[in-house]
C-alpha cells in the first residue's frame, strides 16, 4: 500500500533535515516547492520557511540550528516523537521500532539493531551512532547482536508496569547521576512519557529485558534501583573504538504481531 502523500512529504523533509544536520547536502526531490505541493500541511510549510531563513555559513552554526529545527519538527509531528525526545533525547540511548517480518521476533530485533529496517510509521528514531565511523568496523555498533536463538536466551520477560519503569530510568546517566528518576520533582511526567512510548505497542505487547533482576522476578523495581544499580547481560561490542569504553547497558524490547520496539541505554566513558 502506498504511503499517504502528506506522510511521504514529511518523511522526505525529515531525511533532508537529518542529512543537513549531519553535514551532508541531500537535496529535496524536485525541490521544496514540489514537496509543499505534495502535502504535509502547515507543519511542512512552516519548517521549510524556517529552514530557508537559516544562514548556510558558518557551517557548524548552520548544522546546530538545523539540528534544533529537526528536533522541533519531529516533536510537533506526533506526541510519540515528543515523548521520546523529552525522555531520551539527552542521554546515550538507542530507540527504534521495526516491522515484524519473521515468525521469530528475535530476527526482527536483530534487524532493528543492525539499522536495516525503517520505522513502520515513520516516527522518530534515536541513534547517537548512526554516523559513527566505528560502524565501519562493527556495523551494528555499539551492539554485537548474537544469533536469534542466543538473543532470546539473554532476555527475561517483564510485566507491563515493570517495562514502563525500565524505560523511565533510561532518562538517567550511568555515572554520577545527580537526580535519579525516583527523586525528581517531575518523576510522574518522566514515567508518563515512558508509558506513552510503550502504549504505541498496545496492551497485548510482550516485553523483554536483559536486566538480570528480571531472571527471578518479572516485575523488578527499576525506579528504586535506578540505572546505575541495574545489572544486565550485555549486548555490547567488546571492541574499543574511537576512544570510547562501553561498560554497561540496559535494554527493553516490546513485541507485537506487527512491530518490535527496541530501547537501549549505554554506559560509556
Amino acid at each position: 500500500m502506498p504511503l499517504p502523500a502528506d506522510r511521504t512529504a514529511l518523511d522526505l523533509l525529515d531525511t533532508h533535515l537529518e542529512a543537513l544536520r549531519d553535514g551532508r547536502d541531500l537535496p529535496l526531490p524536485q525541490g521544496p516547492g514540489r514537496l509543499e505541493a505534495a502535502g504535509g500541511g502547515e507543519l511542512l510549510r512552516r519548517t521549510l520557511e524556517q529552514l530557508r531563513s537559516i544562514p548556510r555559513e558558518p557551517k557548524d552554526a548552520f548544522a546546530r540550528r538545523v539540528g534544533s529545527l529537526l528536533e522541533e519538527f519531529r516533536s510537533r509531528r506526533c506526541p510519540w516523537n515528543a515523548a521520546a525526545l523529552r525522555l531520551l533525547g539527552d542521554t546515550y540511548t538507542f530507540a527504534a521500532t521495526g516491522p515484524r517480518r519473521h515468525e521469530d521476533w528475535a530476527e526482527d530485533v536483530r534487524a532493528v539493531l543492525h539499522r536495516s529496517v525503517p520505522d513502520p510509521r515513520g516516527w522518530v528514531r534515536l541513534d547517537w551512532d548512526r554516523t559513527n565511523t566505528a560502524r565501519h568496523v562493527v556495523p551494528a555498533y555499539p551492539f554485537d547482536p548474537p544469533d536469534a536463538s542466543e538473543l532470546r536466551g539473554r532476555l527475561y520477560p517483564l510485566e507491563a508496569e515493570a517495562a514502563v519503569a525500565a524505560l523511565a530510568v533510561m532518562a538517567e546517566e550511568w555515572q554520577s547521576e545527580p537526580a535519579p528518576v525516583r527523586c525528581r520533582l517531575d518523576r510522574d511526567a518522566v514515567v508518563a512519557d515512558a508509558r506513552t512510548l510503550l502504549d504505541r505497542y498496545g496492551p497485548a505487547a510482550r516485553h523483554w529485558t536483559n536486566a538480570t533482576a528480571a531472571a527471578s522476578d518479572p516485575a523488578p523495581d527499576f525506579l528504586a534501583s535506578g540505572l546505575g544499580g541495574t545489572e544486565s547481560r550485555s549486548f555490547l561490542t567488546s571492541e574499543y573504538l574511537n576512544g570510547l569504553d562501553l561498560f554497561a547497558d540496559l535494554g527493553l524490547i516490546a513485541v507485537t504481531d506487527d512491530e518490535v520496539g527496541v530501547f537501549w541505554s549505554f554506559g560509556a566513558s
Side-chain angles (χ1 to χ4, degrees), residues 46-198:
R46 179 183 175 187
T47 304
L48 283 173
E49 185 177 273
Q50 289 179 274
L51 177 60
R52 294 186 188 105
S53 71
I54 301 176
R56 291 274 176 158
E57 298 291 342
K59 290 183 179 180
D60 57 344
F62 174 72
R64 286 196 300 272
R65 292 187 63 182
V66 170
S68 297
L69 178 60
L70 175 60
E71 183 168 340
E72 179 184 352
F73 167 74
R74 286 174 169 172
S75 292
R76 290 179 178 273
R77 188 167 176 180
C78 70
W80 195 90
N81 284 1
L85 290 165
R86 280 194 304 267
L87 183 68
L88 304 175
D90 292 329
T91 55
Y92 186 11
T93 52
F94 175 87
T97 298
R100 281 294 305 275
R101 293 177 176 171
H102 301 84
E103 182 176 352
D104 183 353
W105 55 263
E107 295 286 0
D108 298 309
V109 170
R110 280 176 48 83
V112 172
L113 297 180
H114 280 281
R115 288 88 157 179
S116 61
V117 291
D119 186 297
R121 310 187 199 191
W123 292 355
V124 71
R125 311 187 95 182
L126 302 179
D127 183 3
W128 278 35
D129 296 296
R130 66 192 177 282
T131 61
N132 193 332
T133 57
R135 295 188 61 202
H136 298 162
V137 180
V138 181
Y141 186 91
F143 301 105
D144 181 16
D147 292 338
S149 59
E150 186 182 348
L151 185 151
R152 292 191 307 275
R154 293 191 197 179
L155 297 170
Y156 309 101
L158 271 186
E159 293 181 2
E161 284 303 305
V164 170
L167 186 53
V169 298
M170 292 186 195
E172 298 180 8
E173 299 284 354
W174 283 92
Q175 292 179 311
S176 304
E177 171 57 59
V181 169
R182 64 181 178 272
C183 302
R184 296 183 188 180
L185 295 177
D186 64 346
R187 174 188 182 279
D188 291 345
V190 171
V191 173
D193 279 341
R195 195 180 308 282
T196 293
L197 296 187
L198 293 185

Side-chain angles (χ1 to χ4, degrees), residues 212-231:
T212 55
S216 57
D217 179 8
D221 191 343
F222 287 100
L223 289 177
S225 58
L227 190 60
T230 299
E231 296 183 357

Side-chain angles (χ1 to χ4, degrees), residues 229-251:
T230 299
E231 296 183 357
S232 62
R233 303 186 68 180
S234 180
F235 277 67
L236 301 179
T237 178
S238 60
E239 295 274 1
Y240 181 74
L241 299 167
N242 295 348
L244 191 64
D245 183 26
L246 304 170
F247 64 82
D249 64 318
L250 172 63

